[in-house]
Amino acid sequence: MRATFMYGAGDVRVENVPDPVIKLPTDALVRVTASCICGSDLWPYGSLSPADGPARMGHEFIGVVEDAGSEVTTVKRGDLVVAPFAISDNTCEFCREGLHTSCAHPQAGFWDGEREEGGQAEAVRVPLADGTLVKLPVAADSALIPSLLTLSDVFGTGYHAAVAGGVNERTRVTVIGDGAVGLLAVLSAKRLGAEQIILMGRHAARTDLGREFGATDVVSARGEEGIAQVRELTGGHGTHAVLEAVGTMSAYEQALGIVRPGGVISRVGVPQYEEAPIGFGSLFRHNLRLAGGPAPVRAYIEELMPDILDGAIEPGKVFDATTDLDGVPAGYQDMADRKSLKVLIKP
């Protein structure tokens, strides 16, 4: 079969590899029918050392179960399933608390840690299939597939930002970042009833989609100018929650300037730093809190799916380009160049 590898920064290749096989009785084999490139894939695309490659790519996919181990009971051959970006057993104490990204099972982890597997491919061996995979009640050619694919990562991640930030109908929210996660954080904040949603982004096509998803205001400026504009929109106080969907230090500093006293900075952009201001002059003085982390999207799939199935929301609008496996390397470059928001892959 064919699969995507990243050999180093800017070097993505699609190559032939052995077909996956069942290794454990809890495994399932899934033929991928829809996958995508994630914004977080752009971090290694810009910086991966050839010494650390090649890496199998792809942690978001939908597919058809082709085979299942003897202990798999929740899915069977022929089922269409979606896979979250984290592998989990859905039964340990952390999973029961809705924290699937901290699953205690020895086989649990992230797809990026499965060196022989990846979703940007024709097929995948899925460990802990009972806990990881969720059956979809549609056909593989359904028009809902792009939206259902967002349940594997970006919608669940944007929703986690809003939930961890305590967003409700009395909340003013700022979302930093107009990538797919940021836009779906806007949609999530709207779904949770936020009274004001300010989107900070500077790409008009994306912020227009943000308005469609529920943003009440758009601020294109960054840094001190952007902070001042958000504060002007909020009576000088800032917002109760800042959903940070970028991951850079400048985005964190922007969040600090925007959040109101007693508020929450909820980070779901993968942090590209380990040290950040948290002391008296930053978080402590005004009772500010930090929240967020890798989204346990498995915990949200059953909650979010009905709104997609009945057409109440269409998170799949974040996909603005579609390709087959041959076009994946160019898809990475287009996303890195901001020519594409998010690329859908149909192997």
Side-chain angles (χ1 to χ4, degrees):
M1 70 166 199
R2 304 175 75 210
T4 302
F5 291 84
M6 187 179 294
Y7 276 78
D11 186 1
V12 173
R13 310 177 197 176
V14 179
E15 299 181 341
N16 290 318
V17 298
D19 292 344
V21 297
I22 296 287
K23 294 182 178 180
L24 294 169
T26 51
D27 290 347
L29 298 183
V30 175
R31 173 174 53 84
V32 177
T33 57
S35 182
C36 55
I37 302 171
C38 185
S40 64
D41 293 335
L42 299 182
W43 292 120
Y45 187 69
S47 64
L48 182 70
S49 167
D52 296 326
R56 283 284 287 272
M57 300 304 295
H59 55 258
E60 306 155 277
F61 63 91
I62 284 173
V64 176
V65 176
E66 293 292 329
D67 197 6
S70 59
E71 295 180 15
V72 177
T73 61
T74 62
V75 297
K76 64 183 185 304
R77 182 179 177 88
D79 285 346
L80 187 71
V81 293
V82 61
F85 71 82
I87 299 161
S88 63
D89 65 11
N90 202 32
T91 60
C92 80
E93 63 177 304
F94 294 106
C95 289
R96 292 197 303 271
E97 294 171 6
L99 199 60
H100 295 71
T101 44
S102 294
C103 178
H105 195 286
Q107 294 176 48
F110 300 105
W111 284 110
D112 296 351
E114 296 288 321
R115 293 195 61 84
E116 296 182 358
E117 306 298 339
Q120 294 167 16
E122 292 181 318
V124 182
R125 178 184 68 88
V126 179
L128 302 178
D130 276 340
T132 302
L133 298 174
V134 180
K135 185 177 177 179
L136 298 174
V138 300
D141 61 354
S142 168
L144 297 176
I145 291 299
S147 288
L148 292 168
L149 181 57
T150 67
L151 295 172
S152 66
D153 186 348
V154 287
F155 188 16
T157 295
Y159 192 67
H160 182 59
V163 170
V167 174
N168 57 42
E169 64 277 0
R170 298 179 301 279
T171 310
R172 295 175 183 264
V173 179
T174 299
V175 175
I176 298 177
D178 58 9
V181 170
L183 295 176
L184 292 175
V186 170
L187 181 64
S188 298
K190 175 69 173 179
R191 186 178 185 276
L192 293 171
E195 67 176 49
Q196 182 179 27
I197 305 169
I198 302 168
L199 173 60
M200 301 196 78
R202 55 190 353 182
H203 304 89
R206 301 182 180 195
T207 56
D208 286 349
L209 181 56
R211 288 188 185 276
E212 183 179 340
F213 281 163
T216 56
D217 304 276
V218 170
V219 171
S220 60
R222 297 179 179 178
E224 292 301 320
E225 182 183 359
I227 291 170
Q229 289 183 22
V230 172
R231 290 196 168 272
E232 183 178 353
L233 288 167
T234 57
H237 298 304
T239 56
H240 301 91
V242 180
L243 313 184
E244 197 274 276
V246 179
T248 61
M249 177 60 75
S250 61
Y252 176 77
E253 291 171 340
Q254 195 160 286
L256 278 176
I258 289 165
V259 64
R260 66 181 281 154
V264 182
I265 298 172
S266 184
R267 301 178 305 161
V268 291
V270 180
Q272 303 302 299
Y273 53 87
E274 286 296 335
E275 297 181 358
I278 60 168
F280 186 91
S282 49
L283 296 184
F284 189 83
R285 168 65 181 86
H286 292 295
N287 287 279
L288 303 178
R289 290 165 287 151
L290 274 179
V297 300
R298 178 64 185 84
Y300 302 127
I301 289 178
E302 284 91 353
E303 178 183 353
L304 297 175
M305 191 189 304
D307 280 356
I308 293 174
L309 296 175
D310 68 17
I313 55 176
E314 193 176 346
K317 287 185 176 182
V318 296
F319 292 107
D320 60 349
T322 302
T323 187
D324 57 13
L325 283 174
D326 288 332
V328 168
Y332 271 84
Q333 190 61 56
D334 285 348
M335 285 180 61
D337 292 340
R338 300 296 188 268
K339 294 179 181 177
S340 295
L341 169 57
K342 190 168 179 66
V343 175
L344 178 69
I345 303 167
K346 293 186 176 180

